[in-house]
Amino acid sequence: MFLGKPIKVLLIEDDPGDVYLTQEALDTSRLAIDLQVVEDGNLALDYVYQRGDYTDAERPDLILLDLSLPGCNGEEVLAKIKQDQDLKRIPVVVLTASKLDEDILQSYRLGANCYIPKPVGLDQFLEIIHSLEDFWLTVVKLPKSSG
């Protein structure tokens, strides 16, 4: 049973295994979640700027961003989103394998709303995704989508 209007989540992730796990975790949600996936930084920018193959894409309510991406890397994607007046209101959760202090610090400098290192185990990964859902899609009041 889904509650309310679908929440648009953009997953920017190049690892098919992580995409699959995220989809599986969100499929069990009691919320209506419209998950869109792009696998590289250039496509992510096309998506959020509604250009190329994504001219009809709806603005996401939440972005889950990996830092290690082909094309434009995650830091570049984050910087462009957070420097744009129309896009910077979209919460960006960095969900990445890196636990390096410099990556964490740089992500927050660029405007990340939170930084979560990906856990190694399956159960821990699913728990993280469910925690993200509980907090960002249930507790937090997101701004209404536009555009």
Side-chain angles (χ1 to χ4, degrees):
M1 177 171 124
F2 295 123
L3 304 174
K5 181 182 168 209
I7 298 164
K8 295 176 284 301
V9 177
L10 175 61
L11 174 61
I12 306 169
E13 173 62 67
D14 66 323
D15 183 314
D18 289 345
V19 170
Y20 175 78
L21 290 175
T22 303
Q23 289 170 326
E24 287 296 305
L26 293 177
D27 280 348
T28 64
S29 176
R30 67 187 184 288
L31 303 171
I33 298 173
D34 176 13
L35 180 67
Q36 299 298 314
V37 180
V38 294
E39 59 277 347
D40 77 45
N42 295 329
L43 292 176
L45 292 173
D46 285 350
Y47 189 99
V48 296
Y49 284 108
Q50 299 168 311
R51 61 188 185 208
D53 291 338
Y54 302 103
T55 55
D56 294 329
E58 292 186 59
R59 284 271 163 83
D61 298 307
L62 177 69
I63 295 173
L64 304 177
L65 173 66
D66 187 17
L67 291 182
S68 178
L69 297 168
C72 194
N73 72 35
E75 286 182 353
E76 294 169 302
V77 171
L78 178 59
K80 288 185 186 302
I81 289 170
K82 292 302 183 176
Q83 290 170 1
D84 186 286
Q85 284 301 115
D86 292 330
L87 299 176
K88 71 180 182 180
R89 65 153 180 86
I90 302 169
V92 177
V93 174
V94 174
L95 182 61
T96 192
S98 175
K99 295 178 184 175
L100 296 173
D101 287 339
E102 56 264 25
D103 287 342
I104 296 167
L105 184 58
Q106 181 64 3
S107 293
Y108 282 116
R109 281 186 184 138
L110 294 172
N113 295 88
C114 71
Y115 189 103
I116 302 172
K118 288 179 191 171
V120 176
L122 170 63
D123 290 338
Q124 295 90 352
F125 188 88
L126 293 174
E127 186 177 317
I128 290 291
I129 297 300
H130 287 128
S131 295
L132 283 170
E133 173 194 347
D134 287 343
F135 182 73
W136 284 103
L137 305 180
T138 304
V139 174
V140 172
K141 179 73 174 153
L142 297 171
K144 293 184 191 268
S145 297
S146 63

